[in-house]
Amino acid sequence: MELKQDILDRKDIELLVDRFYKIVQNDEVIGYLFNEVAKTNWNIHIPKMYDFWEVVLFGTGRFKGNPMQVHKELHRKSKMSETHFQHWIHLFNSTVDELFTGPNAEDVKYNATNIAKSLMCNIMFID
């Protein structure tokens, strides 16, 4: 049995993002938002998510984009609920826990939860 380590570098972020979005693509609750509604181009989205989480966790500054605007546009196409956001948080945190343990793993879960809640509040209650 392999012992889990912390998220230490971009390679670890890539492992996390790849595993997470494989789960999301097949998920019954939120998969349709990515596959049918957003029609996500995974070859573009996945590298952006590597950059995004690298910025969040390590402050490398490589991410370019406006997540709030992207999610507002998605919400206009198909209304998202608190259930969608809570499910995303659950899937993300479960994926982190499956792969990693340590301070950075806890930090990425904390940040992911806060980001998701911020998106939810700004999209559902302000827009």
Side-chain angles (χ1 to χ4, degrees), residues 55-105:
V55 167
V56 168
L57 201 51
F58 301 124
T60 59
R62 293 174 61 173
F63 177 74
K64 303 271 188 277
N66 185 339
M68 187 64 68
Q69 188 58 41
V70 169
H71 287 83
K72 283 183 178 186
E73 290 170 14
L74 181 59
H75 184 65
R76 285 187 195 103
K77 291 178 182 178
S78 180
K79 297 292 182 210
M80 292 183 281
S81 69
E82 184 173 356
T83 301
H84 292 116
F85 286 95
Q86 291 297 336
H87 189 70
W88 184 97
I89 291 167
H90 168 73
L91 292 179
F92 188 86
N93 289 346
S94 295
T95 305
V96 173
D97 289 341
E98 172 192 338
L99 298 171
F100 301 101
T101 188
N104 288 339

Side-chain angles (χ1 to χ4, degrees), residues 7-21:
I7 301 170
L8 301 175
D9 54 26
R10 183 175 175 100
K11 178 181 68 65
D12 292 336
I13 290 170
E14 290 173 1
L15 174 64
L16 171 60
V17 167
D18 289 346
R19 178 80 53 94
F20 173 66
Y21 281 107

Side-chain angles (χ1 to χ4, degrees), residues 99-116:
L99 298 171
F100 301 101
T101 188
N104 288 339
E106 293 305 311
D107 194 35
V108 80
K109 291 189 301 183
Y110 174 81
N111 282 300
T113 299
N114 286 339
I115 290 165

Side-chain angles (χ1 to χ4, degrees), residues 22-23 26 48 52 77 94-95 100-101 111 123-124:
K22 276 191 172 60
I23 294 167
N26 298 302
K48 274 189 184 180
F52 178 79
K77 291 178 182 178
S94 295
T95 305
F100 301 101
T101 188
N111 282 300
I123 291 166
M124 293 174 50

